[in-house]
Amino acid sequence: MSDEARVNVTRRGAVAELEIDFIARRNALSLDLRELMHDAMFDLQADPEVRCIVLTGAGGVFSAGGDIKSMDGLTPLAGRARLQRLHRLVRLLIEGETPVIAAVEGYAVGAGLSLAAACDVVVSAEDVVWSCAFNRLGLMPDMGSAWTLPARMGLGQAKRIMLTSERFTTAQAQAWGLVEEMTAKGDAKARAHAMADEIAERAPGAVAVTKAWLARGPLGLGQVLAAEADAQAMLFATDDFAEGRAAFAEKRDARFEGK
């Protein structure tokens, strides 16, 4: 059992795994762990050889939330600075060009739920305990969840889980739009990696542009069409588009190189 915060990064081909490892505290997001996660995620997002990232937790737990012990004596200014540092990680997850798949087991509570919601796709085991339990501590949901949860679940359902702090199941989370795929206990990581392999086979430029486009949030029709025209025009000129057309005509799998 790990008694200090760390992250474990492994690579398999074009897919990288970032594992949160603070098992002694059920992977609570301590200050040290947040910095380690940010630095590792920054490096992975900057690596052109990485085409998809799986974010998971050690010990059969995704994350049981924030590190409450580290909040003693927080002043408003210190609390603001603390969140601003954490927001660097949130921006990497949402705005970074490399897709991130959350593989969730055990618990996704409070900040753990917010962390999963900031990922592009959430794969969760059927027995995971979910809760947006911030107001049980007298706090509001953070880590961008006021942006991610309404976008995923709709405003009404997001309000419900934020205001009640009730626990809910993976089946409910999937029905509400927070979870994209449910697996048997212990199978979330394997399924997330299988999905990551599929994404890694696609044209990386097209994947990056699509993710960046969707991260802009709600836009008017004119803005959407203008952004679409600009992005698609760029992709028309890529070698990957030429390869995709050739593979389609030749009825074979495309071999994308990110060019």
Side-chain angles (χ1 to χ4, degrees):
M1 177 178 291
S2 175
D3 58 0
E4 64 180 40
R6 62 186 180 186
V7 296
N8 305 314
V9 176
T10 56
R11 294 276 298 272
R12 181 177 51 80
V15 175
E17 177 182 297
L18 194 165
E19 181 185 64
I20 307 165
D21 189 351
F22 193 13
I23 303 174
R25 300 285 299 281
R26 293 197 298 184
N27 297 332
L29 302 182
S30 68
L31 297 179
D32 288 344
L33 183 57
R34 296 173 186 195
E35 294 299 318
L36 292 170
M37 290 174 66
H38 170 269
D39 293 348
M41 184 61 67
F42 181 89
D43 290 343
L44 292 175
Q45 287 280 354
D47 189 340
E49 299 300 315
V50 175
R51 297 190 179 183
C52 195
I53 301 164
V54 174
L55 176 62
T56 190
V61 174
F62 186 68
S63 175
D67 183 18
I68 308 303
K69 290 185 177 180
S70 69
M71 299 179 188
D72 290 347
L74 269 182
T75 66
L77 288 178
R80 186 171 186 269
R82 173 191 177 107
L83 271 177
Q84 287 174 331
R85 289 195 299 272
L86 181 57
H87 289 167
R88 297 180 304 148
L89 173 61
V90 175
R91 289 184 181 279
L92 282 175
L93 292 171
I94 296 174
E95 298 179 340
E97 294 185 349
T98 305
V100 182
I101 302 174
V104 182
E105 297 276 357
Y107 290 87
V109 177
L113 180 150
S114 298
L115 180 65
C119 296
D120 298 292
V121 179
V122 180
V123 178
S124 174
E126 60 190 359
D127 64 331
V128 171
V129 175
W130 293 86
S131 178
C132 191
F134 291 88
N135 63 16
R136 292 181 183 272
L137 296 171
L139 298 174
M140 64 170 287
D142 59 23
M143 291 187 68
S145 54
W147 190 88
T148 57
L149 292 179
R152 283 180 165 276
M153 308 171 69
L155 183 59
Q157 198 60 256
K159 284 182 177 181
R160 171 182 169 173
I161 70 167
M162 288 178 173
L163 297 178
T164 65
S165 289
E166 66 186 16
R167 291 188 171 192
F168 53 94
T169 67
T170 297
Q172 289 173 300
Q174 185 178 36
W176 297 337
L178 176 57
V179 167
E180 277 68 55
E181 189 162 336
M182 182 170 61
T183 73
K185 179 181 179 180
D187 289 348
K189 187 162 76 169
R191 178 59 191 130
H193 272 277
M195 191 181 299
D197 288 339
E198 293 181 42
I199 294 172
E201 292 176 357
R202 309 302 174 228
V207 170
V209 168
T210 300
K211 177 174 159 71
W213 184 42
L214 294 173
R216 298 184 185 190
L219 299 172
L221 176 60
Q223 293 172 299
V224 169
L225 294 179
E228 177 185 296
D230 291 343
Q232 196 75 304
M234 179 188 70
L235 293 173
F236 281 145
T238 62
D239 291 346
D240 278 348
F241 176 57
E243 165 63 8
R245 290 171 57 216
F248 179 80
E250 297 164 15
K251 298 182 179 180
R252 60 172 173 83
D253 293 334
R255 296 180 291 273
F256 294 118
E257 297 182 2
K259 298 179 181 178

